[in-house]
Amino acid sequence: MRIEMVEELRARVRRATKVVAFTGAGVSRESGLATFREGKDALWQRYRPEDLASPQAFLRHPETVWRWYGERFRGAASAQPNAAHLALARLAAVFPSYLLVTQNVDGLHQRAGSRGVVELHGTLHDARCHACARRMEMQRALDRSPDTPPRCECGGLYRPAVVWFGEMLPQDAMERAMREAAACDLLLAVGTSATVFPAAGLIELAHRGGAAVIEVNPEATAFSSLADLRLRAAAAAALPALEAEIRGCREGSA
Ligand code: APR
């Protein structure tokens, strides 16, 4: 895939010192993991989020929710990072300041080598007591009790350490992501429909702060109009090409 940036954008990329990469489920699509909202195998096309991804659903039928997340955990654990995850991990070395913020809970960015990943919606790799917030590795919790949520010593039930609909995002993660998005020179929005707030607000925050925005998504989104470059392609194809173009810009500035 060949990427052509206009000179004005090349100059902004060349000068960029603070970069935020903001990702959603689309970046893991080529790792074989389903997205949430588009295509026949999208999770919310097959299930109702209110039946599986909310505190009410968990209290109403904890076993069903626990087993579904066990299935999603096993899917993520057996998936491999793809070329997009790897390119995003390598880009950290290109800029003085680089932060990867993800809505994904699959842990594939970390397995691709990204460090200091901000997980706005938590992680499938940990379980957390619904009552006292004590944590345990998800694998250990599932080994202990594959079909029903294990009970915490406080008496509460363990649940996946992900953010469910109606729950608050981890405050420190969101504040850090907002601060960095508002201050960055370049934001890469990769594989997100940008429909779930407050996470989706990061794109506009970066744009308002004067950042150049590059969107990588086969489809248009509500924030496409804010993008200085729209790469209508799969992330696994676009990111290595974008990485090469970014390096090309910056080598010019060496
Ligand atoms: N490469 C890049 N983007 C892709 C690809 C791909 N191969 N395939 C699909 N996409 C795009 C889709 O066009 C869509 O815009 O990825 C986006 C996925 O959007 P969603 O399924 O809505 O996922 P996401 O934006 O991460 O959802 C945000 O919603 O349900 C909650 O907590 C869940 O974190 C999730 C949040």
Side-chain angles (χ1 to χ4, degrees):
M1 177 173 172
R2 189 90 184 86
I3 288 174
E4 287 297 320
M5 278 186 201
V6 296
E7 188 42 45
E8 190 260 342
L9 180 56
R10 284 176 63 85
R12 293 173 78 183
V13 170
R14 189 175 303 128
R15 289 195 306 269
T17 53
K18 289 175 74 75
V19 173
V20 169
F22 174 51
T23 68
V27 79
S28 296
R29 193 75 195 76
E30 268 85 24
S31 296
L33 299 183
T35 55
F36 292 93
R37 289 177 184 80
E38 101 299 333
K40 65 183 183 339
D41 63 345
L43 290 175
W44 301 150
Q45 307 290 343
R46 289 186 285 149
Y47 305 102
R48 286 169 6 117
E50 55 272 27
D51 289 344
L52 287 166
S54 73
Q56 295 77 9
F58 180 65
L59 296 176
R60 199 168 45 243
H61 38 78
E63 289 80 4
T64 306
V65 173
W66 181 252
R67 279 198 299 272
W68 188 62
Y69 277 92
E71 192 186 303
R72 284 189 60 199
F73 167 77
R74 285 186 289 275
S78 58
Q80 294 305 317
N82 66 56
H85 296 107
L86 294 167
L88 285 166
R90 289 191 299 265
L91 277 171
V94 175
F95 298 100
S97 162
Y98 180 88
L99 181 70
L100 196 147
V101 179
T102 188
Q103 302 167 93
N104 300 342
V105 295
D106 57 34
L108 289 178
H109 284 302
Q110 293 89 329
R111 284 179 47 205
S114 289
R115 295 281 165 270
V117 176
V118 172
E119 295 178 309
L120 294 179
H121 292 166
T123 176
L124 276 174
H125 293 268
D126 282 344
R128 170 164 57 82
C129 173
H130 196 55
C132 76
R134 190 178 270 116
R135 291 174 87 101
M136 179 197 302
E137 279 188 7
M138 191 61 161
Q139 186 62 67
R140 192 162 147 252
L142 287 165
D143 290 345
R144 222 173 92 185
S145 178
D147 295 319
T148 181
R151 200 162 283 281
C152 175
E153 52 202 61
C154 82
L157 289 177
Y158 275 96
R159 34 102 17 120
V162 300
V163 177
W164 277 331
F165 288 100
E167 292 187 320
M168 295 289 288
L169 275 67
Q171 195 174 350
D172 52 339
M174 194 59 211
E175 282 171 0
R176 173 114 190 273
M178 289 174 71
R179 202 169 48 248
E180 296 298 322
C184 72
D185 313 303
L186 172 65
L187 180 126
L188 311 177
V190 183
T192 182
S193 63
T195 48
V196 174
F197 287 80
L202 295 176
I203 301 168
E204 182 159 18
L205 202 53
H207 175 74
R208 273 214 313 270
V213 174
I214 297 177
E215 179 181 61
V216 179
N217 193 325
E219 311 285 333
T221 69
F223 290 95
S224 295
S225 59
L226 301 186
D228 300 274
L229 177 64
R230 290 173 281 276
L231 301 177
R232 290 284 172 257
L239 263 295
L242 179 59
E243 176 198 4
E245 178 66 8
I246 287 173
R247 288 177 183 279
C249 287
R250 297 192 52 99
E251 264 126 43
S253 68

Short mmCIF file of all heavy atoms in Angstrom, two decimals, residues 22-30 34-38 42-44 49 53 72 84 102-105 121 163-165 190-196 199 216-221 231 233-237 239, ligand 1:
data_model
loop_
_atom_site.label_atom_id
_atom_site.label_comp_id
_atom_site.label_asym_id
_atom_site.label_seq_id
_atom_site.Cartn_x
_atom_site.Cartn_y
_atom_site.Cartn_z
N PHE A 22 -4.66 6.23 19.05
CA PHE A 22 -5.92 5.90 19.73
C PHE A 22 -6.59 4.79 18.95
O PHE A 22 -6.90 4.95 17.77
CB PHE A 22 -6.81 7.16 19.76
CG PHE A 22 -8.20 6.93 20.29
CD1 PHE A 22 -8.41 6.30 21.50
CD2 PHE A 22 -9.31 7.36 19.55
CE1 PHE A 22 -9.71 6.11 22.00
CE2 PHE A 22 -10.61 7.17 20.04
CZ PHE A 22 -10.80 6.54 21.25
N THR A 23 -6.77 3.61 19.58
CA THR A 23 -7.25 2.47 18.80
C THR A 23 -8.56 1.89 19.33
O THR A 23 -8.88 2.02 20.52
CB THR A 23 -6.19 1.33 18.80
OG1 THR A 23 -6.08 0.78 20.11
CG2 THR A 23 -4.85 1.83 18.32
N GLY A 24 -9.25 1.21 18.41
CA GLY A 24 -10.48 0.48 18.73
C GLY A 24 -10.40 -0.92 18.13
O GLY A 24 -9.36 -1.35 17.63
N ALA A 25 -11.53 -1.59 18.18
CA ALA A 25 -11.60 -3.02 17.84
C ALA A 25 -11.11 -3.32 16.42
O ALA A 25 -10.64 -4.42 16.15
CB ALA A 25 -13.04 -3.52 18.01
N GLY A 26 -11.18 -2.35 15.54
CA GLY A 26 -10.76 -2.59 14.15
C GLY A 26 -9.29 -2.95 14.03
O GLY A 26 -8.89 -3.68 13.13
N VAL A 27 -8.45 -2.48 15.00
CA VAL A 27 -7.02 -2.77 14.90
C VAL A 27 -6.75 -4.26 15.17
O VAL A 27 -5.74 -4.81 14.76
CB VAL A 27 -6.21 -1.87 15.88
CG1 VAL A 27 -6.27 -2.38 17.31
CG2 VAL A 27 -4.76 -1.71 15.42
N SER A 28 -7.70 -4.94 15.84
CA SER A 28 -7.52 -6.37 16.13
C SER A 28 -8.28 -7.26 15.15
O SER A 28 -8.29 -8.49 15.30
CB SER A 28 -7.97 -6.67 17.57
OG SER A 28 -7.14 -5.98 18.50
N ARG A 29 -8.92 -6.63 14.15
CA ARG A 29 -9.74 -7.40 13.22
C ARG A 29 -8.90 -8.44 12.48
O ARG A 29 -9.29 -9.59 12.35
CB ARG A 29 -10.40 -6.44 12.21
CG ARG A 29 -11.51 -7.04 11.39
CD ARG A 29 -12.77 -7.20 12.21
NE ARG A 29 -13.73 -8.09 11.55
CZ ARG A 29 -13.60 -9.42 11.52
NH1 ARG A 29 -12.58 -10.00 12.12
NH2 ARG A 29 -14.48 -10.16 10.92
N GLU A 30 -7.70 -8.02 12.05
CA GLU A 30 -6.85 -8.96 11.29
C GLU A 30 -6.17 -9.97 12.21
O GLU A 30 -5.44 -10.83 11.76
CB GLU A 30 -5.78 -8.21 10.49
CG GLU A 30 -6.21 -7.88 9.09
CD GLU A 30 -6.99 -6.58 9.04
OE1 GLU A 30 -6.82 -5.76 9.94
OE2 GLU A 30 -7.79 -6.42 8.13
N ALA A 34 -13.47 -10.26 16.66
CA ALA A 34 -14.64 -9.55 16.11
C ALA A 34 -14.67 -8.11 16.61
O ALA A 34 -14.20 -7.80 17.71
CB ALA A 34 -15.92 -10.26 16.57
N THR A 35 -15.19 -7.22 15.76
CA THR A 35 -15.45 -5.86 16.24
C THR A 35 -16.84 -5.88 16.88
O THR A 35 -17.43 -6.95 17.06
CB THR A 35 -15.42 -4.87 15.05
OG1 THR A 35 -16.34 -5.34 14.07
CG2 THR A 35 -14.03 -4.79 14.44
N PHE A 36 -17.34 -4.68 17.20
CA PHE A 36 -18.61 -4.65 17.95
C PHE A 36 -19.80 -4.30 17.08
O PHE A 36 -20.90 -4.76 17.31
CB PHE A 36 -18.50 -3.61 19.09
CG PHE A 36 -17.54 -4.04 20.16
CD1 PHE A 36 -16.21 -3.66 20.13
CD2 PHE A 36 -17.96 -4.90 21.17
CE1 PHE A 36 -15.31 -4.08 21.11
CE2 PHE A 36 -17.07 -5.33 22.15
CZ PHE A 36 -15.75 -4.92 22.12
N ARG A 37 -19.54 -3.42 16.06
CA ARG A 37 -20.73 -2.78 15.47
C ARG A 37 -20.88 -2.93 13.96
O ARG A 37 -21.79 -2.34 13.41
CB ARG A 37 -20.70 -1.28 15.81
CG ARG A 37 -20.97 -1.04 17.25
CD ARG A 37 -20.87 0.42 17.63
NE ARG A 37 -21.07 0.52 19.05
CZ ARG A 37 -20.11 0.27 19.93
NH1 ARG A 37 -18.89 -0.03 19.51
NH2 ARG A 37 -20.34 0.32 21.23
N GLU A 38 -19.94 -3.63 13.29
CA GLU A 38 -20.28 -3.69 11.86
C GLU A 38 -19.92 -5.07 11.35
O GLU A 38 -19.10 -5.77 11.93
CB GLU A 38 -19.54 -2.55 11.14
CG GLU A 38 -18.30 -2.91 10.39
CD GLU A 38 -17.21 -3.50 11.27
OE1 GLU A 38 -17.16 -3.19 12.46
OE2 GLU A 38 -16.44 -4.29 10.76
N ALA A 42 -20.04 -9.09 13.96
CA ALA A 42 -19.80 -8.09 15.02
C ALA A 42 -20.55 -8.52 16.27
O ALA A 42 -21.68 -9.03 16.20
CB ALA A 42 -20.28 -6.72 14.54
N LEU A 43 -19.89 -8.30 17.42
CA LEU A 43 -20.46 -8.83 18.66
C LEU A 43 -21.85 -8.30 18.94
O LEU A 43 -22.76 -9.05 19.31
CB LEU A 43 -19.51 -8.51 19.82
CG LEU A 43 -18.19 -9.30 19.79
CD1 LEU A 43 -17.26 -8.83 20.89
CD2 LEU A 43 -18.43 -10.80 19.88
N TRP A 44 -22.01 -6.97 18.76
CA TRP A 44 -23.34 -6.42 19.10
C TRP A 44 -24.38 -6.69 18.01
O TRP A 44 -25.53 -6.31 18.16
CB TRP A 44 -23.24 -4.94 19.44
CG TRP A 44 -22.34 -4.59 20.57
CD1 TRP A 44 -21.65 -3.42 20.71
CD2 TRP A 44 -22.01 -5.37 21.73
NE1 TRP A 44 -20.93 -3.42 21.88
CE2 TRP A 44 -21.13 -4.61 22.52
CE3 TRP A 44 -22.37 -6.64 22.18
CZ2 TRP A 44 -20.59 -5.07 23.73
CZ3 TRP A 44 -21.86 -7.10 23.39
CH2 TRP A 44 -20.99 -6.33 24.15
N PRO A 49 -25.75 -5.95 23.92
CA PRO A 49 -24.78 -5.54 24.96
C PRO A 49 -25.40 -5.49 26.36
O PRO A 49 -24.77 -5.88 27.34
CB PRO A 49 -24.31 -4.16 24.52
CG PRO A 49 -25.04 -3.80 23.29
CD PRO A 49 -25.81 -4.97 22.81
N ALA A 53 -22.90 -7.08 28.75
CA ALA A 53 -21.81 -6.14 29.09
C ALA A 53 -22.32 -5.00 29.96
O ALA A 53 -22.14 -3.83 29.65
CB ALA A 53 -21.19 -5.60 27.80
N ARG A 72 -14.34 -14.97 25.31
CA ARG A 72 -13.63 -13.83 24.71
C ARG A 72 -12.18 -13.81 25.17
O ARG A 72 -11.27 -13.51 24.39
CB ARG A 72 -14.32 -12.51 25.07
CG ARG A 72 -15.60 -12.26 24.29
CD ARG A 72 -16.13 -10.86 24.50
NE ARG A 72 -15.18 -9.84 24.08
CZ ARG A 72 -15.24 -8.57 24.49
NH1 ARG A 72 -16.19 -8.19 25.34
NH2 ARG A 72 -14.36 -7.70 24.06
N ALA A 84 -0.54 -4.29 12.26
CA ALA A 84 -0.91 -2.95 12.75
C ALA A 84 -0.42 -2.76 14.19
O ALA A 84 0.19 -1.73 14.53
CB ALA A 84 -2.42 -2.76 12.69
N THR A 102 -5.93 2.75 24.15
CA THR A 102 -6.82 1.82 23.44
C THR A 102 -8.13 1.62 24.18
O THR A 102 -8.19 1.76 25.40
CB THR A 102 -6.14 0.44 23.22
OG1 THR A 102 -6.98 -0.35 22.36
CG2 THR A 102 -5.88 -0.28 24.53
N GLN A 103 -9.18 1.35 23.39
CA GLN A 103 -10.48 0.95 23.95
C GLN A 103 -10.54 -0.57 24.03
O GLN A 103 -11.49 -1.13 24.57
CB GLN A 103 -11.63 1.46 23.07
CG GLN A 103 -11.63 2.96 22.90
CD GLN A 103 -12.56 3.38 21.78
OE1 GLN A 103 -13.75 3.69 22.01
NE2 GLN A 103 -12.04 3.38 20.55
N ASN A 104 -9.55 -1.23 23.45
CA ASN A 104 -9.55 -2.69 23.37
C ASN A 104 -9.14 -3.30 24.70
O ASN A 104 -8.39 -2.70 25.46
CB ASN A 104 -8.62 -3.19 22.27
CG ASN A 104 -9.03 -2.65 20.90
OD1 ASN A 104 -10.16 -2.20 20.72
ND2 ASN A 104 -8.11 -2.66 19.95
N VAL A 105 -9.64 -4.49 24.93
CA VAL A 105 -9.35 -5.19 26.20
C VAL A 105 -8.57 -6.49 25.95
O VAL A 105 -8.36 -7.27 26.85
CB VAL A 105 -10.68 -5.50 26.94
CG1 VAL A 105 -11.38 -4.22 27.36
CG2 VAL A 105 -11.62 -6.35 26.08
N HIS A 121 -10.89 0.92 28.60
CA HIS A 121 -12.03 0.06 28.93
C HIS A 121 -11.60 -1.19 29.70
O HIS A 121 -12.32 -2.20 29.70
CB HIS A 121 -12.79 -0.33 27.64
CG HIS A 121 -13.46 0.85 27.01
ND1 HIS A 121 -13.97 0.84 25.73
CD2 HIS A 121 -13.71 2.10 27.48
CE1 HIS A 121 -14.50 2.03 25.45
NE2 HIS A 121 -14.34 2.81 26.50
N VAL A 163 -14.59 -2.41 31.51
CA VAL A 163 -15.58 -1.38 31.82
C VAL A 163 -16.87 -1.74 31.10
O VAL A 163 -16.88 -1.84 29.86
CB VAL A 163 -15.08 0.01 31.38
CG1 VAL A 163 -16.15 1.07 31.65
CG2 VAL A 163 -13.78 0.38 32.07
N TRP A 164 -17.92 -1.92 31.81
CA TRP A 164 -19.23 -2.26 31.21
C TRP A 164 -20.04 -1.00 30.92
O TRP A 164 -19.74 0.07 31.47
CB TRP A 164 -20.01 -3.15 32.18
CG TRP A 164 -19.61 -4.61 32.08
CD1 TRP A 164 -19.13 -5.26 30.98
CD2 TRP A 164 -19.66 -5.59 33.13
NE1 TRP A 164 -18.87 -6.58 31.30
CE2 TRP A 164 -19.21 -6.80 32.58
CE3 TRP A 164 -20.06 -5.56 34.46
CZ2 TRP A 164 -19.12 -7.97 33.33
CZ3 TRP A 164 -19.99 -6.72 35.22
CH2 TRP A 164 -19.52 -7.91 34.66
N PHE A 165 -21.02 -1.13 30.09
CA PHE A 165 -21.91 0.01 29.82
C PHE A 165 -22.52 0.48 31.14
O PHE A 165 -22.92 -0.33 31.97
CB PHE A 165 -23.01 -0.41 28.83
CG PHE A 165 -22.50 -0.62 27.44
CD1 PHE A 165 -22.23 -1.88 26.96
CD2 PHE A 165 -22.21 0.48 26.63
CE1 PHE A 165 -21.71 -2.08 25.69
CE2 PHE A 165 -21.69 0.30 25.35
CZ PHE A 165 -21.44 -0.98 24.89
N VAL A 190 -7.18 4.75 14.96
CA VAL A 190 -7.08 3.50 14.18
C VAL A 190 -8.15 2.50 14.61
O VAL A 190 -8.20 2.07 15.77
CB VAL A 190 -5.69 2.84 14.40
CG1 VAL A 190 -5.55 1.58 13.53
CG2 VAL A 190 -4.56 3.83 14.08
N GLY A 191 -9.05 2.17 13.67
CA GLY A 191 -9.99 1.07 13.89
C GLY A 191 -11.04 1.33 14.94
O GLY A 191 -11.42 0.40 15.67
N THR A 192 -11.51 2.57 15.03
CA THR A 192 -12.59 2.84 15.97
C THR A 192 -13.73 3.55 15.27
O THR A 192 -13.52 4.43 14.44
CB THR A 192 -12.11 3.67 17.18
OG1 THR A 192 -13.22 3.86 18.08
CG2 THR A 192 -11.53 5.02 16.79
N SER A 193 -14.96 3.14 15.65
CA SER A 193 -16.15 3.80 15.08
C SER A 193 -16.35 5.15 15.76
O SER A 193 -17.18 5.95 15.33
CB SER A 193 -17.38 2.92 15.30
OG SER A 193 -17.61 2.77 16.71
N ALA A 194 -15.62 5.36 16.84
CA ALA A 194 -15.72 6.64 17.59
C ALA A 194 -17.17 6.95 17.94
O ALA A 194 -17.66 8.06 17.76
CB ALA A 194 -15.11 7.77 16.77
N THR A 195 -17.86 5.92 18.44
CA THR A 195 -19.28 6.13 18.81
C THR A 195 -19.50 6.02 20.32
O THR A 195 -20.58 6.28 20.80
CB THR A 195 -20.16 5.04 18.14
OG1 THR A 195 -19.56 3.77 18.37
CG2 THR A 195 -20.30 5.28 16.66
N VAL A 196 -18.49 5.55 21.05
CA VAL A 196 -18.69 5.35 22.50
C VAL A 196 -17.89 6.41 23.26
O VAL A 196 -16.66 6.46 23.16
CB VAL A 196 -18.27 3.93 22.91
CG1 VAL A 196 -18.33 3.76 24.42
CG2 VAL A 196 -19.18 2.92 22.24
N ALA A 199 -14.49 8.01 25.50
CA ALA A 199 -13.27 7.68 24.73
C ALA A 199 -13.28 8.39 23.37
O ALA A 199 -12.29 9.01 22.97
CB ALA A 199 -13.17 6.18 24.54
N VAL A 216 -7.43 5.82 10.34
CA VAL A 216 -7.26 4.56 9.59
C VAL A 216 -8.50 3.71 9.83
O VAL A 216 -8.72 3.22 10.95
CB VAL A 216 -6.00 3.79 10.06
CG1 VAL A 216 -5.86 2.48 9.27
CG2 VAL A 216 -4.75 4.66 9.90
N ASN A 217 -9.33 3.59 8.80
CA ASN A 217 -10.60 2.87 8.97
C ASN A 217 -11.16 2.65 7.57
O ASN A 217 -11.27 3.60 6.80
CB ASN A 217 -11.57 3.74 9.80
CG ASN A 217 -12.76 2.95 10.28
OD1 ASN A 217 -13.26 2.06 9.59
ND2 ASN A 217 -13.23 3.26 11.48
N PRO A 218 -11.57 1.39 7.25
CA PRO A 218 -12.15 1.17 5.92
C PRO A 218 -13.44 1.98 5.70
O PRO A 218 -13.82 2.28 4.58
CB PRO A 218 -12.46 -0.32 5.89
CG PRO A 218 -11.81 -0.93 7.06
CD PRO A 218 -11.49 0.15 8.02
N GLU A 219 -14.08 2.34 6.83
CA GLU A 219 -15.34 3.10 6.75
C GLU A 219 -15.13 4.53 7.26
O GLU A 219 -14.25 4.77 8.10
CB GLU A 219 -16.41 2.44 7.64
CG GLU A 219 -16.58 0.95 7.45
CD GLU A 219 -17.32 0.63 6.16
OE1 GLU A 219 -18.11 1.49 5.73
OE2 GLU A 219 -17.07 -0.43 5.57
N ALA A 220 -16.04 5.40 6.84
CA ALA A 220 -16.05 6.76 7.40
C ALA A 220 -16.64 6.69 8.81
O ALA A 220 -17.38 5.76 9.16
CB ALA A 220 -16.89 7.67 6.52
N THR A 221 -16.27 7.70 9.63
CA THR A 221 -16.85 7.77 10.98
C THR A 221 -17.34 9.20 11.21
O THR A 221 -17.12 10.09 10.39
CB THR A 221 -15.78 7.47 12.05
OG1 THR A 221 -14.85 8.57 12.06
CG2 THR A 221 -15.05 6.17 11.78
N LEU A 231 -7.20 7.16 5.77
CA LEU A 231 -6.74 5.96 5.06
C LEU A 231 -7.85 4.93 5.12
O LEU A 231 -8.11 4.34 6.16
CB LEU A 231 -5.45 5.44 5.72
CG LEU A 231 -4.29 6.45 5.73
CD1 LEU A 231 -3.08 5.89 6.48
CD2 LEU A 231 -3.91 6.84 4.31
N ALA A 233 -8.61 1.85 4.63
CA ALA A 233 -8.00 0.52 4.43
C ALA A 233 -7.96 -0.20 5.77
O ALA A 233 -8.15 0.40 6.83
CB ALA A 233 -6.58 0.70 3.90
N ALA A 234 -7.72 -1.51 5.68
CA ALA A 234 -7.56 -2.30 6.90
C ALA A 234 -6.28 -1.86 7.61
O ALA A 234 -5.26 -1.56 6.96
CB ALA A 234 -7.48 -3.78 6.54
N ALA A 235 -6.32 -1.84 8.93
CA ALA A 235 -5.18 -1.36 9.71
C ALA A 235 -3.92 -2.18 9.42
O ALA A 235 -2.81 -1.62 9.34
CB ALA A 235 -5.52 -1.42 11.20
N ALA A 236 -4.06 -3.49 9.24
CA ALA A 236 -2.87 -4.34 9.05
C ALA A 236 -2.15 -4.01 7.75
O ALA A 236 -0.94 -4.21 7.62
CB ALA A 236 -3.27 -5.81 9.07
N ALA A 237 -2.90 -3.45 6.79
CA ALA A 237 -2.27 -3.03 5.52
C ALA A 237 -1.76 -1.59 5.64
O ALA A 237 -0.66 -1.25 5.21
CB ALA A 237 -3.28 -3.14 4.38
N LEU A 239 -1.09 0.44 8.40
CA LEU A 239 -0.14 0.91 9.42
C LEU A 239 1.34 0.74 9.02
O LEU A 239 2.15 1.66 9.20
CB LEU A 239 -0.43 0.26 10.78
CG LEU A 239 -1.27 1.08 11.75
CD1 LEU A 239 -0.53 2.34 12.18
CD2 LEU A 239 -2.62 1.46 11.20
N1 APR B 1 -8.89 -2.16 10.15
C1 APR B 1 -9.24 -0.97 10.69
N2 APR B 1 -10.51 -0.67 11.07
C2 APR B 1 -11.44 -1.63 10.89
C3 APR B 1 -11.16 -2.89 10.33
C4 APR B 1 -9.82 -3.13 9.96
N3 APR B 1 -9.47 -4.31 9.41
N4 APR B 1 -12.32 -3.62 10.28
C5 APR B 1 -13.28 -2.83 10.81
N5 APR B 1 -12.76 -1.64 11.15
C6 APR B 1 -13.43 -0.48 11.75
C7 APR B 1 -14.91 -0.43 11.52
O1 APR B 1 -15.20 0.27 10.32
C8 APR B 1 -15.39 0.36 12.75
O2 APR B 1 -15.39 1.76 12.49
O3 APR B 1 -13.27 -0.62 13.15
C9 APR B 1 -14.32 0.07 13.80
C10 APR B 1 -14.82 -0.81 14.92
O4 APR B 1 -15.82 -0.10 15.58
P1 APR B 1 -16.57 -0.76 16.82
O5 APR B 1 -16.93 -2.16 16.47
O6 APR B 1 -17.63 0.19 17.25
O7 APR B 1 -15.42 -0.86 17.93
P2 APR B 1 -14.89 0.31 18.85
O8 APR B 1 -14.86 1.62 18.13
O9 APR B 1 -13.60 -0.17 19.42
O10 APR B 1 -16.00 0.35 20.01
C11 APR B 1 -15.72 1.14 21.15
O11 APR B 1 -17.62 0.12 22.26
O12 APR B 1 -18.83 -1.79 22.79
C12 APR B 1 -17.89 -0.86 23.27
O13 APR B 1 -16.32 -1.30 24.92
C13 APR B 1 -16.60 -1.56 23.58
O14 APR B 1 -14.37 -0.68 23.37
C14 APR B 1 -15.58 -0.88 22.68
C15 APR B 1 -16.24 0.45 22.37
#
